[in-house]
Amino acid sequence: MTRAALFDVDGTLVDTNYLHVTAWWEAFRQAGHRVPMRAVHHAIGLGGSDLIAHLLGDERDQDQDATISAAHKTLYATHFDRLEAFENAGQLLRSLAGEGWTIVLATSAGGGELDALRAAVDADDVITATASADDVDEGKPAAEPVAHALELAGASARDSVFVGDSVWDMQSARRAGVTPLALLSGGIPREDLSAAGATEVYDDTAHLLSSLGNSAFAR
């Protein structure tokens, strides 16, 4: 029986959410849109096109979408060489792998951004595969990113656990039938994560690592 430990990356394994917030905020500003940072923050975790639609609405000038997305990527890329993983992020993945869990990343990141994130986590030796934004038609909160990660792991939903930091992560895991665990490291309130379906909530990767014996990973 294959057991999959599925992980979001931004805000879950790597401390990037607020970098994304400022990059998106500036990208919107350059395109003539004033979007509050709080609104941007709560949209982090959606894929780029979905994030723009969520924040600007269906009546926006969609011809601007590509320009806004490109500006965000350019601004965010300036941080690639300084990205930092949360405490014990790599150790958490290695501990789970050592207990027989198959580690797969499920993230909206792709390309060079994903490479920079994996370098920050520094646990490629135990990461079996990555389901990135480049591999799916629909991003979170649709079930597809988590379902694709399950396929890569060769595991069933009932034998798997998903760890993320956003409401979109929790909703995606729920829709895929996977047990969702949430971390507060992305800055989203505990009550929002619980309302979105999180069965357990931990402060960060270090807290989850120290609690593995009493978590969904021990059942």
Side-chain angles (χ1 to χ4, degrees), residues 176-196:
V178 177
T179 300
L181 270 61
L183 304 185
L184 297 173
S185 47
I188 300 302
R190 179 185 299 269
E191 55 270 24
D192 291 359
L193 295 166
S194 295

Side-chain angles (χ1 to χ4, degrees), residues 1-6 101-102 104 146-161 178:
M1 179 184 69
T2 299
R3 301 181 301 167
L6 313 177
W101 291 84
T102 298
V104 176
V146 177
H148 181 54
L150 287 173
E151 292 174 3
L152 293 174
S156 68
R158 65 180 295 179
D159 297 319
S160 303
V161 176
V178 177

Side-chain angles (χ1 to χ4, degrees), residues 68-107:
I68 294 171
S69 182
H72 163 261
K73 289 181 180 179
T74 299
L75 291 160
Y76 179 66
T78 63
H79 301 288
F80 279 1
D81 62 346
R82 302 190 300 280
L83 300 184
E84 292 190 2
F86 287 110
E87 181 182 2
N88 292 337
Q91 185 179 344
L92 172 61
L93 300 189
R94 290 190 175 91
S95 293
L96 288 168
E99 294 175 6
W101 291 84
T102 298
I103 309 298
V104 176
L105 307 182
T107 173

Side-chain angles (χ1 to χ4, degrees), residues 28-193:
F28 283 124
R29 189 194 67 80
Q30 290 179 7
H33 301 285
R34 297 184 62 180
V35 182
M37 285 194 176
R38 181 180 182 278
V40 177
H41 179 209
H42 281 259
I44 296 299
L46 292 171
S49 59
D50 291 332
L51 182 145
I52 293 170
H54 179 75
L55 292 172
L56 297 185
D58 294 335
E59 302 304 316
R60 71 192 185 282
D61 177 3
Q62 296 187 26
D63 289 341
Q64 286 189 320
D65 286 10
T67 300
I68 294 171
S69 182
H72 163 261
K73 289 181 180 179
T74 299
L75 291 160
Y76 179 66
T78 63
H79 301 288
F80 279 1
D81 62 346
R82 302 190 300 280
L83 300 184
E84 292 190 2
F86 287 110
E87 181 182 2
N88 292 337
Q91 185 179 344
L92 172 61
L93 300 189
R94 290 190 175 91
S95 293
L96 288 168
E99 294 175 6
W101 291 84
T102 298
I103 309 298
V104 176
L105 307 182
T107 173
S108 59
E113 179 182 342
L114 179 57
D115 292 340
L117 291 166
R118 290 185 66 145
V121 176
D122 192 23
D124 276 356
D125 53 309
V126 296
I127 296 172
T128 297
T130 299
S132 78
D134 301 331
D135 305 321
V136 297
D137 294 323
E138 286 189 279
K140 303 167 189 172
E144 188 177 359
V146 177
H148 181 54
L150 287 173
E151 292 174 3
L152 293 174
S156 68
R158 65 180 295 179
D159 297 319
S160 303
V161 176
F162 180 86
V163 182
D165 69 291
S166 72
V167 296
W168 321 112
D169 291 329
M170 300 302 103
Q171 291 171 0
S172 182
R174 278 292 185 194
R175 288 170 178 163
V178 177
T179 300
L181 270 61
L183 304 185
L184 297 173
S185 47
I188 300 302
R190 179 185 299 269
E191 55 270 24
D192 291 359
L193 295 166

Side-chain angles (χ1 to χ4, degrees), residues 204-219:
D204 50 26
T205 47
H207 185 202
L208 177 55
L209 176 61
S210 68
S211 306
L212 282 179
N214 298 312
S215 74
F217 287 109
R219 297 171 197 148

